[in-house]
Amino acid sequence: MLRRLPLRLLALLALGLLALQLYFLVRIALMNGLDPQSTSFQRSEIWRLATEKHEVAWSQDWVPDARLAPALKRAVIASEDAGFSEHGGVDWDALEKAWDKNQREQARADKRAKAVAKAPARDSDKPAPAKPQAKVVGGSTITQQLAKNLFLSGERQLLRKGQEFILTFMLEALLSKQRILEIYLNNVEWGEGVFGAQAAARHYFRVDAAQLAPWQAARLAVMLPAPKRFEKRPGSAYVVGRASTIEARMGGVVLP
């Protein structure tokens, strides 16, 4: 009897995991006709704002694909995922490059940490220098980012990454590229409490998402990796310079 217990637990665990995948599958299939009301990331942000700031300043207004400026779609693809229209959800080459870069960054961080440890002792009343941290870069596609934002937490865990891959392939199998991009652009964060292209266009440029000029679209695309940081200085030299590069690439982007 005791020997059978682990097998039963494993069977229950397997059934639970299967049920979870079926739940995700049905949710994604329904997105062919139903717009998602919120994402996992948005709900976590609402909780954070409510608990930390005791208020939830929120701006989001869903607009259909036809009311999203083609310039914005091209800018986001050029900036975030140049192979979006061709890959099957995961850009393996980009992941490999990101892995190699992160390994090099980690090696540099470890080297700096050793140098700090060997430095002469400081006065006891002075704070110790922070341990150098490696700058982590990602190789996630737009579909992977959407999978994570829709259903998962932001924690960097192996199991979470595995679930992200499964969700990514589900999204690619059940939704068109056009629909994936539409959902992504309507839910992605563009600042604290600013979600979706329409809210971002109104917040930063006082226009609708359908009216974004190429230079405006490029600036919004540049902000996506770190919107909370860039929203403090949306016209900074880095944003403007990077936006010029993105705008130059937009002409070569083929929309799905």
Side-chain angles (χ1 to χ4, degrees):
M1 182 68 180
L2 292 177
R3 292 179 180 179
R4 294 180 181 178
L5 187 59
L7 293 177
R8 290 180 179 178
L9 289 176
L10 287 174
L12 288 174
L13 179 60
L15 286 174
L17 289 173
L18 179 60
L20 180 63
Q21 304 315 311
L22 289 175
Y23 166 77
F24 286 142
L25 195 71
V26 172
R27 286 280 305 274
I28 291 171
L30 290 173
M31 289 180 194
N32 275 294
L34 298 175
D35 302 330
Q37 296 301 305
S38 65
T39 69
S40 176
F41 177 74
Q42 289 170 355
R43 292 189 290 273
S44 69
E45 276 295 286
I46 289 174
W47 176 256
R48 184 187 65 83
L49 291 171
T51 55
E52 292 182 6
K53 300 193 173 183
H54 308 292
E55 63 176 354
V56 180
W58 200 264
S59 179
Q60 184 178 20
D61 185 12
W62 182 286
V63 292
D65 180 72
R67 290 173 54 196
L68 294 169
L72 180 63
K73 300 174 192 176
R74 290 192 173 93
V76 170
I77 291 174
S79 178
E80 294 287 289
D81 185 6
F84 175 68
S85 297
E86 287 78 35
H87 62 61
V90 178
D91 188 335
W92 299 106
D93 289 337
L95 282 179
E96 183 177 358
K97 290 177 182 177
W99 171 264
D100 291 341
K101 186 171 183 179
N102 288 335
Q103 291 296 100
R104 292 194 298 270
E105 286 293 327
Q106 186 62 55
R108 294 191 188 100
D110 291 342
K111 187 176 181 179
R112 292 195 298 270
K114 290 180 181 178
V116 170
K118 292 180 180 179
R122 300 170 59 91
D123 295 338
S124 58
D125 59 338
K126 293 182 180 180
K131 182 180 179 181
Q133 298 291 324
K135 181 181 179 182
V136 178
V137 297
S140 296
T141 64
I142 286 174
T143 313
Q144 285 177 270
Q145 293 177 48
L146 178 60
K148 180 181 68 174
N149 289 343
L150 279 172
F151 299 113
L152 306 174
S153 70
E155 297 178 359
R156 294 180 179 273
Q157 296 178 345
L158 188 60
L159 286 176
R160 190 206 63 79
K161 196 66 178 179
Q163 181 65 75
E164 179 188 303
F165 278 119
I166 295 173
L167 291 169
T168 296
F169 295 133
M170 286 182 183
L171 286 166
E172 289 280 342
L174 296 175
L175 305 179
S176 68
K177 290 281 189 179
Q178 184 178 1
R179 180 60 170 165
I180 290 171
L181 188 59
E182 178 186 18
I183 296 173
Y184 176 80
L185 290 176
N186 272 289
N187 286 285
V188 71
E189 181 187 37
W190 255 297
E192 188 168 273
V194 180
F195 284 85
Q198 177 69 4
R202 296 299 304 171
H203 180 73
Y204 293 106
F205 301 112
R206 303 294 188 269
V207 299
D208 289 330
Q211 300 169 326
L212 286 167
W215 69 271
Q216 294 170 326
R219 289 197 187 186
L220 288 180
V222 171
M223 296 177 67
L224 283 178
K228 289 188 180 70
R229 173 159 56 93
F230 289 132
E231 75 171 333
K232 298 174 182 176
R233 296 184 62 199
S236 67
Y238 172 81
V239 172
V240 173
R242 176 67 178 162
S244 297
T245 301
I246 297 303
E247 190 173 357
R249 296 177 182 172
M250 287 164 56
V253 173
V254 178
L255 294 179

